[in-house]
Amino acid sequence: MSHSNLPTLSAVDLDQRYDPPSEMIVKGVMPRLLPFHVAYLDVATFFCLATGSAQGLDASPRGGEPGFVRVLDEKTVAFADWPGNNRIASLRNLTEDNRIGMLFLFPGLEVFMRINGHAQIRVEPALLDRLKEGERTPKTAIVVTIDEVLFHCGKAINRAKLWRAESQLDRNAVPSMGDMKAALTGMDKATASAMDEGYYRAVRGDLY
């Protein structure tokens, strides 16, 4: 599909189409953490991490025990980088472009929190030890200097009916990880099924 006939962003008068944000929304964008931001970070278990480079943008999920994003001071937070698929796209991006965005979801709550800032990859033993999960020590930590922190309304949660029990998907309604691997490699159904079993063991048991 060609996009050559679509208007560019500069051709759209956004100010004509959208009302300006309220004064409360504008005042709610803060350059540092306040006690209520810290209260939410203390219970946060999941966020999406956005990074970028000259090659493009990337977003990845991050999760942990409540408070896994540690507050170092009112301008700084840190979190461990735990094993994923070893693409380490976010880390590679940060070596080129240190801008970072964090979008926090709070299960059951109708609000998001966002942190935008600049990040460093750090490996000091004392910091890594502070970010341990049980006896597991991360290979690296990401330390974020906050440019702005804000809360975002939860309309998207309710549009998606995200926290409703009836919104839970039946695993058999979509192709499994094994099915997708089979489509890419031509493996047989039995091998694909075994891969599914291994996948679920890993994502539930090999967390660190």
Side-chain angles (χ1 to χ4, degrees):
M1 177 180 176
S2 172
H3 298 283
S4 59
N5 295 325
L6 294 177
T8 61
L9 184 61
S10 60
V12 178
D13 188 343
L14 296 177
D15 290 327
Q16 183 182 39
R17 290 177 176 268
Y18 294 89
D19 294 331
S22 69
E23 181 181 4
M24 183 62 70
I25 295 296
V26 173
K27 286 184 176 180
V29 181
M30 304 299 299
R32 62 184 58 83
L33 297 172
L34 296 177
F36 54 78
H37 297 121
V38 176
Y40 274 79
L41 287 172
D42 284 344
V43 300
T45 58
F46 179 84
F47 72 93
C48 292
L49 175 68
T51 59
S53 69
Q55 287 69 48
L57 302 176
D58 183 77
S60 65
R62 302 297 170 111
E65 295 293 324
F68 78 105
V69 176
R70 306 293 175 86
V71 176
L72 302 186
D73 58 50
E74 66 177 9
K75 287 286 291 182
T76 319
V77 298
F79 59 93
D81 184 75
W82 294 112
N85 57 14
N86 280 333
R87 291 186 66 241
I88 56 173
S90 299
L91 296 180
R92 294 190 189 282
N93 285 346
L94 290 173
T95 65
E96 181 178 327
D97 185 336
N98 69 354
R99 292 176 297 172
I100 197 169
M102 304 165 72
L103 174 66
F104 291 85
L105 283 77
F106 303 93
L109 302 186
E110 298 166 293
V111 67
F112 301 95
M113 189 170 75
R114 292 162 52 183
I115 291 177
N116 297 319
H118 292 75
Q120 294 180 323
I121 302 169
R122 304 272 286 272
V123 295
E124 298 95 315
L127 176 60
L128 298 182
D129 188 65
R130 184 173 176 180
L131 297 173
K132 287 172 64 172
E133 294 283 351
E135 296 302 313
R136 304 281 185 158
T137 302
K139 294 179 179 179
T140 60
I142 297 174
V143 176
V144 180
T145 300
I146 296 168
D147 293 331
E148 57 182 18
V149 54
L150 63 149
F151 285 95
H152 193 121
C153 81
K155 290 180 180 179
I157 288 171
N158 289 325
R159 292 188 191 108
K161 302 180 178 64
L162 191 60
W163 305 139
R164 295 189 186 180
E166 62 268 27
S167 295
Q168 296 275 318
L169 295 176
D170 179 349
R171 188 186 302 165
N172 296 320
V174 292
S176 70
M177 295 299 292
D179 292 335
M180 291 185 282
K181 188 72 172 180
L184 293 172
T185 65
M187 69 172 59
D188 60 73
K189 188 174 182 64
T191 305
S193 179
M195 173 168 285
D196 281 335
E197 293 178 9
Y199 171 77
Y200 288 114
R201 280 197 305 270
V203 298
R204 293 168 181 168
D206 300 335
L207 300 180
Y208 301 100

